[in-house]
Amino acid sequence: MSSIRILLSGYFPELTEDQLKKYEQMGELYQEWNQKINVISRKDMDMLGVHHILHSLGIAKVVSFPEHTSVLDVGTGGGLPGLPLAVMFPEVKFHLVDSIGKKIHVVNEIARELHLHNVTASHTRAEQVRDKYDFVVSRAVTRLANFWPWVMNSFKKAGLEKEGLYYLKGGELQEELAESGLITHTTELRDFFSEEFFETKKVVYVPLREK
């Protein structure tokens, strides 16, 4: 799995040896778990590093979560983008939720193997989460107009500079963003990553509205 190490250290030279080892191990654990429970498309496993781990870390090119803040990852599936971000930001608390229990089981097992003490995971729906968070992240769960009502009440509103939703999306988004009626800022991941996969991939940031 050294290809993951080479890939990530090229784009994130600040990563420590411990973090790079965790990403390598994460790749191995996904390979193992995917044999038992299909959390990542089988045909996509060969591209795990680029399509899943690096893609998740695209959010880290847009925002650096301050220490001691909290992040909710909605519809995390097998732990993406939450687990890669939790390795990147060890002093930030991550709570990963998904409505499919067996996927949350995989998330918990991978977090345990990697000793990610800043990760908790729950088998629940976003609308049922009662705690409040500084940030929400997610990876293309549904259209933004559908997604925002699920999470709009999940924010602490602590007045942090970049608090809000960071949503990984792909393709042509003008119509979808207009439909949502939200203030959005879109960052093209091709500006940071050279792989063809990122040509249409974006991070959509929805800042919290002023009170």
Side-chain angles (χ1 to χ4, degrees), residues 12 21 32 49 73 125 155 170 178 207:
F12 297 95
K21 279 183 179 165
E32 288 171 27
D73 176 7
R125 306 185 73 85
F155 294 99

Side-chain angles (χ1 to χ4, degrees), residues 83-102:
L83 289 179
L85 289 169
V87 173
M88 176 76 74
F89 300 103
E91 300 301 322
V92 175
K93 285 192 162 58
F94 287 84
H95 186 56
L96 283 55
V97 302
D98 200 274
S99 60
I100 299 174
K102 65 183 181 181

Side-chain angles (χ1 to χ4, degrees), residues 130-148:
R130 291 288 166 260
D131 289 340
K132 306 289 185 191
Y133 301 85
D134 297 300
F135 306 94
V136 175
V137 298
S138 190
R139 193 161 82 139
V141 172
T142 181
R143 289 176 78 86
L144 189 55
N146 300 333
F147 185 82
W148 181 251

